[in-house]
Amino acid sequence: MSQIATTRDLDRTKADILQAATEEFTRLGYFGARVDGIAAATSTTKRMIYYCFGSKDGLFRACLQAALGGIRAYEQEMHLADLPPREAIAAYVKGTILYHEAHPEVARLVREENIVGAMHVDDQDQPANRPIVVTLEEVLARGRESGELRSDVTAIQVHVAVTSLSNFRITNAATIESIFGHDMRDPERLESDLGHFVDMILGWLTRQPS
């Protein structure tokens, strides 16, 4: 077997493990997930999982990095810097919520990472996750200069607000429906909800500080 074929086989095995592990961590949480269960869901072995990722912690970190890497790449594809400020904010709100709707594993893995005190992320992860904040700051700066957006809101505040809306719809949907009888993820209401969320964020950003 050639070295290229061996490398491709290993890459395919890692991808299969990551997919199965993401599903396991998403369904059972960090503490509930078992490497044995992940191995059983793939065509590989527990020993191979440890060979590829070192440990359960290493595997979870790889799943988290892949999930965050996916949304970071998507954010770059929005080309927010090419849009007028208000349009850029609206596109960011809609795009972020829709991405989380299509990829609920992002919110659920991040929830698990917060439960364990963010022990799988460190300063080395900042460069990969920083671009969206830089882009939003540039959008806000243009909006301040044109007078469209208020001057006392930071990019990280916008990012936290929009991400919070997106995550809450995923991680709290069951309790909201059980307690209030309200299905936050009803697909028939999605378009209307997106409009409300855009209005909320733009209303905040365009209201002049008191």
Side-chain angles (χ1 to χ4, degrees):
M1 182 179 295
S2 70
Q3 182 64 40
I4 293 177
T6 301
T7 301
R8 286 176 179 170
D9 289 342
L10 183 59
D11 289 343
R12 187 160 44 245
T13 296
K14 286 182 176 179
D16 290 343
I17 293 170
L18 277 178
Q19 180 177 346
T22 296
E23 293 173 0
E24 186 88 351
F25 285 125
T26 296
R27 184 170 60 90
L28 299 176
Y30 172 77
F31 291 109
R34 295 288 179 267
V35 176
D36 286 326
I38 295 167
T42 67
S43 57
T44 187
T45 64
K46 184 176 179 179
R47 183 175 181 179
M48 177 58 77
I49 291 175
Y50 285 128
Y51 171 77
C52 291
F53 298 98
S55 63
K56 179 181 176 180
D57 282 327
L59 179 56
F60 183 84
R61 175 178 169 80
C63 292
L64 182 63
Q65 285 183 323
L68 292 176
I71 193 169
R72 296 291 91 93
Y74 176 79
E75 288 163 349
Q76 295 303 304
E77 293 171 1
M78 292 185 196
H79 300 291
L80 301 179
D82 299 332
L83 300 174
R86 289 174 60 93
E87 290 182 29
I89 294 297
Y92 175 61
V93 174
K94 287 184 178 181
T96 302
I97 290 171
L98 287 173
Y99 188 90
H100 280 82
E101 185 66 28
H103 302 275
E105 70 277 4
V106 179
R108 290 169 180 155
L109 289 173
V110 170
R111 175 191 60 192
E112 292 303 309
E113 180 64 357
N114 278 280
I115 288 173
V116 299
M119 70 180 190
H120 301 100
V121 295
D122 52 39
D123 292 344
Q124 294 180 358
D125 296 298
Q126 287 189 16
N129 291 285
R130 181 72 181 167
I132 184 57
V133 177
V134 174
T135 298
L136 287 174
E137 187 54 58
E138 187 273 336
V139 170
L140 292 175
R142 287 192 285 116
R144 295 184 199 110
E145 185 176 355
S146 67
E148 297 173 74
L149 303 180
R150 60 192 294 172
S151 60
D152 63 338
V153 179
T154 66
I156 191 63
Q157 287 176 314
V158 174
H159 177 65
V160 168
V162 175
T163 302
S164 296
L165 284 171
S166 304
N167 285 1
F168 190 87
R169 293 183 69 258
I170 304 301
T171 60
N172 291 61
T175 52
I176 292 296
E177 183 169 12
S178 179
I179 295 171
F180 299 106
H182 176 74
D183 181 5
M184 290 194 296
R185 299 183 66 193
D186 181 351
E188 293 186 3
R189 195 170 43 244
L190 178 58
E191 195 61 35
S192 175
D193 285 347
L194 287 173
H196 290 158
F197 294 142
V198 169
D199 288 345
M200 286 170 57
I201 299 299
L202 280 178
W204 167 44
L205 292 178
T206 56
R207 178 177 58 83
Q208 292 304 311
S210 58

